[in-house]
Amino acid sequence: MEPLPAPSPTSVRITGDHYQWLSAWTGCLTLLRENAIHTANPAISVGVEADDAGNLDDVVLLRRNPPHTYTQVKYTVSSATPVNEEYLTKPSPTGGPSILKKIAKTWRTFTADGIDADLAIVTNRAPDPHDPLIAVRDARTQLLLPKAADGTARSKTGQARTRWAQNAGLSETELHDLLSRLRFDLSRELAHVYEQLQLLMAVCGLRNDSHAVDEGANWVAQQVRDGHRTLTLDMVKAAVDSLNLKTGPAYAILSIATLKPDPLAAEADHTINWIDRFETASEYTKRRPLAPATWAQLQDDIEAAPARLPGRTNISVSGSLRLAPAFLTGTAFRMVTGADCDFSGWCRWW
């Protein structure tokens, strides 16, 4: 591929907006799928630049019952600035509050009445591997805890916590509470966003080529231009019909990752994550459980999975696993009357 010319300011703005519309379309698909498979606490609407959401208003996923999810979406065309303390605590270009201080203020507003909230920063910026707190982020949960709480006040981690708390205007106890809810969804390159959306559209029973993804994001953009800040289930269903996206039924998602991370894990209805419980660091050489983990334990986890999913007959298995666990998964669901377990397209095995 030939190098592209440097993007213009207009190109940067357009791409940044499209990145946000893709994130909002992800919320719309979650809304559509969770209501189709009758999850216990489904999403009821998606807010885009929503009112009363403070600085976490880019994409808001409202559920029947809290916690709701409030997301700030950040896009950059340069890799020069990773996510670290400096990025999060520096004043805005106009001298206003830092990103961290804005998030802390919004979180305090949300939780003033004791109502919990799920918070997220979604960005294509990479984490700084040298930052005392960002470097200990748990890739499974996208949270800085529990490791960010380790260390004495004099340790590098403890000193960083003190600086973050002071910048945010919080006590360290309050900072701990905030970090227990604030997910750092980092390194979300456009290619990764498209891959996740294609997988998610497939399990929603929709066309899932890249053009279909763009159609969904462009529909979100048109709603914003028309002044609609709240996208309801009926609106999303109407969009699916008008764009001719529907191809089949929606699926409940079972994520089983034994070899490499599953891009659909965050959307799954039940997750089995055994990546760190198999020998070696390479997905190509992971062949047996790492002691004390055993094949019998993995079998127990897989056989318990049908009871952990919504009462549906259409099950999509995503992730990465070898043939033996795949056969066991199929057997476990065939024991459930009428269950249709689909591995095609979004589950990789070796």
Tab-separated table of all heavy atoms in Angstrom, residues 17 108 139 148 215 244 250 280 296-297 299 331:
chain	number	residue	atom	x	y	z
A	17	ASP	N	-15.522	12.253	13.619
A	17	ASP	CA	-16.974	12.130	13.722
A	17	ASP	C	-17.430	10.724	13.332
A	17	ASP	O	-18.267	10.122	14.009
A	17	ASP	CB	-17.658	13.159	12.811
A	17	ASP	CG	-17.580	14.574	13.364
A	17	ASP	OD1	-17.289	14.735	14.563
A	17	ASP	OD2	-17.792	15.516	12.580
A	108	ARG	N	-19.399	12.297	39.661
A	108	ARG	CA	-19.990	12.758	40.926
A	108	ARG	C	-21.450	13.126	40.734
A	108	ARG	O	-22.292	12.846	41.594
A	108	ARG	CB	-19.205	13.957	41.457
A	108	ARG	CG	-18.066	13.585	42.379
A	108	ARG	CD	-17.417	14.799	42.950
A	108	ARG	NE	-16.692	14.513	44.181
A	108	ARG	CZ	-15.857	15.349	44.752
A	108	ARG	NH1	-15.641	16.540	44.208
A	108	ARG	NH2	-15.240	15.021	45.868
A	139	ALA	N	-6.422	-6.017	30.754
A	139	ALA	CA	-6.975	-6.096	29.406
A	139	ALA	C	-8.310	-6.830	29.365
A	139	ALA	O	-9.099	-6.636	28.437
A	139	ALA	CB	-5.976	-6.780	28.473
A	148	ALA	N	-3.867	-0.988	40.207
A	148	ALA	CA	-3.640	0.441	40.459
A	148	ALA	C	-3.781	0.787	41.930
A	148	ALA	O	-3.334	1.859	42.367
A	148	ALA	CB	-4.605	1.281	39.630
A	215	GLU	N	-23.216	1.894	6.308
A	215	GLU	CA	-24.623	2.292	6.208
A	215	GLU	C	-25.200	2.565	7.605
A	215	GLU	O	-25.940	3.536	7.804
A	215	GLU	CB	-25.432	1.204	5.512
A	215	GLU	CG	-25.220	1.128	4.010
A	215	GLU	CD	-26.116	0.091	3.364
A	215	GLU	OE1	-25.931	-1.106	3.653
A	215	GLU	OE2	-27.007	0.465	2.575
A	244	ASN	N	-32.375	-2.431	4.426
A	244	ASN	CA	-32.398	-3.816	3.958
A	244	ASN	C	-31.218	-4.606	4.525
A	244	ASN	O	-30.502	-5.317	3.807
A	244	ASN	CB	-32.379	-3.860	2.425
A	244	ASN	CG	-32.749	-5.241	1.880
A	244	ASN	OD1	-33.499	-5.981	2.512
A	244	ASN	ND2	-32.215	-5.578	0.711
A	250	ALA	N	-31.448	-13.061	15.472
A	250	ALA	CA	-30.356	-12.649	16.356
A	250	ALA	C	-29.911	-13.834	17.203
A	250	ALA	O	-30.688	-14.759	17.457
A	250	ALA	CB	-30.809	-11.495	17.248
A	280	THR	N	2.077	-21.567	27.483
A	280	THR	CA	2.770	-20.722	26.505
A	280	THR	C	1.994	-19.426	26.244
A	280	THR	O	0.806	-19.304	26.552
A	280	THR	CB	3.033	-21.427	25.156
A	280	THR	OG1	1.875	-21.367	24.338
A	280	THR	CG2	3.477	-22.845	25.356
A	296	ALA	N	-10.639	-30.953	32.945
A	296	ALA	CA	-11.920	-31.199	33.620
A	296	ALA	C	-12.567	-29.891	34.048
A	296	ALA	O	-13.796	-29.745	33.968
A	296	ALA	CB	-11.708	-32.110	34.833
A	297	GLN	N	-11.766	-28.934	34.475
A	297	GLN	CA	-12.318	-27.631	34.860
A	297	GLN	C	-12.887	-26.900	33.648
A	297	GLN	O	-13.958	-26.282	33.724
A	297	GLN	CB	-11.235	-26.788	35.539
A	297	GLN	CG	-10.816	-27.309	36.909
A	297	GLN	CD	-9.607	-26.591	37.460
A	297	GLN	OE1	-8.791	-26.047	36.719
A	297	GLN	NE2	-9.473	-26.585	38.781
A	299	GLN	N	-14.033	-28.331	30.978
A	299	GLN	CA	-15.253	-29.058	30.643
A	299	GLN	C	-16.415	-28.605	31.523
A	299	GLN	O	-17.530	-28.383	31.032
A	299	GLN	CB	-15.028	-30.560	30.804
A	299	GLN	CG	-16.282	-31.391	30.499
A	299	GLN	CD	-16.020	-32.888	30.576
A	299	GLN	OE1	-14.873	-33.322	30.628
A	299	GLN	NE2	-17.086	-33.683	30.584
A	331	THR	N	-21.729	-30.356	21.856
A	331	THR	CA	-22.434	-31.419	22.586
A	331	THR	C	-23.237	-30.858	23.750
A	331	THR	O	-24.387	-31.238	23.985
A	331	THR	CB	-21.430	-32.458	23.113
A	331	THR	OG1	-20.719	-33.022	22.010
A	331	THR	CG2	-22.141	-33.560	23.875
